[in-house]
Amino acid sequence: QSALTQPPSASGSPGQSVTISCTGASSDVGGYNYVSWYQQHPGKAPKLMIYEVSRRSSGVPDRFSGSKSGNTASLTVSGLQAEDEADYYCSSYAGSNTLFGGGTRLTVL
Amino acid sequence: QVQLVQSGAEVKKPGASVKVSCKASEYTFTGYYIHWVRQAPGQGLEWMGRINPNNDGTNYAQKFQGRVTMTRDTNTAYMELSRLRSDDTAVYYCARADFWSASDYWGQGTLVSVSS
């Protein structure tokens, strides 16, 4: 199976909102409500932000939200802050497989 | 608190094998899957496979079938990758995950360098 498709980059100014998309297929994103989003800062391990499409992991600010429509999931970061600058990866359960997106570098201008 | 502690960096020659360990603590080891994910320098995350410590069941990404073996003992998971190539140079992570693949705790990563 192919990786999920994410835009390579996204950006926004402090206080603004930005949305990152993640497109898969009916066999993964579209077929299950088990999409996760991870944040990764340089040199660090990934951190779970969102699971089951829209549930925030413990300690994650409510500025982060997730949604899904058809074969595309989305992560929205509202009220951008400098510390949100990082790489973001989506991931989907796909039966006996797990898929990752290629990652989106979020820049806070 | 939940911890996954991985073994140290490795340097290998092409054609060799590497075995990375991931020691779990402060949770019921058999209650969660262990996933292995790698990240080549400057690249994205790549899922390699998972093991269910409850029954030793494994699922491997098609790309690694025949080259990867995931095992475990009491509280430690292992990932062995054989017939190493230079493009296997990457940081290898283990992660605790539920059945639906949400990985809430990650190891610190193990750098595997493959060079002649």
Side-chain angles (χ1 to χ4, degrees), chain A residues 2-71:
Chain A
S2 301
L4 308 176
T5 300
Q6 297 181 235
S9 63
S11 63
S13 299
Q16 288 187 331
S17 294
V18 65
T19 297
I20 299 169
S21 63
C22 169
T23 301
S26 58
S27 55
D28 40 73
V29 173
Y32 305 95
N33 287 322
Y34 296 113
V35 175
S36 304
W37 288 91
Y38 299 89
Q39 177 191 66
Q40 187 180 36
H41 287 108
K44 301 293 188 182
K47 174 186 176 183
L48 178 66
M49 304 298 282
I50 299 286
Y51 65 102
E52 293 178 13
V53 175
S54 60
R55 299 171 73 98
R56 275 184 299 277
S57 187
S58 176
V60 173
D62 60 7
R63 302 185 293 103
F64 291 84
S65 61
S67 62
K68 191 187 84 166
S69 177
N71 295 339

Side-chain angles (χ1 to χ4, degrees), chain B residues 27-82:
Chain B
Y27 76 94
T28 302
F29 186 58
T30 54
Y32 295 83
Y33 285 78
I34 293 289
H35 287 225
W36 290 90
V37 176
R38 77 178 187 179
Q39 187 169 36
Q43 302 300 308
L45 302 175
E46 182 175 32
W47 186 76
M48 299 181 69
R50 69 178 187 177
I51 182 168
N52 180 352
N54 189 50
N55 60 15
D56 294 338
T58 55
N59 299 107
Y60 301 140
Q62 189 171 8
K63 174 177 179 177
F64 299 102
Q65 290 272 5
R67 261 201 330 138
V68 71
T69 304
M70 296 177 187
T71 57
R72 65 100 183 170
D73 59 25
T74 307
N75 280 308
T76 302
Y78 302 91
M79 186 283 300
E80 184 170 21
L81 189 63
S82 63

Side-chain angles (χ1 to χ4, degrees), chain A residues 65-85:
Chain A
S65 61
S67 62
K68 191 187 84 166
S69 177
N71 295 339
T72 298
S74 298
L75 172 72
T76 297
V77 186
S78 306
L80 272 174
Q81 298 183 4
E83 61 261 35
D84 299 334
E85 185 161 294

Side-chain angles (χ1 to χ4, degrees), chain A residues 1 92-99, chain B residues 35 47 50 59-62 101:
Chain A
Q1 282 174 288
S92 176
Y93 175 82
S96 58
N97 219 354
T98 295
L99 300 178
Chain B
H35 287 225
W47 186 76
R50 69 178 187 177
N59 299 107
Y60 301 140
Q62 189 171 8
S101 299

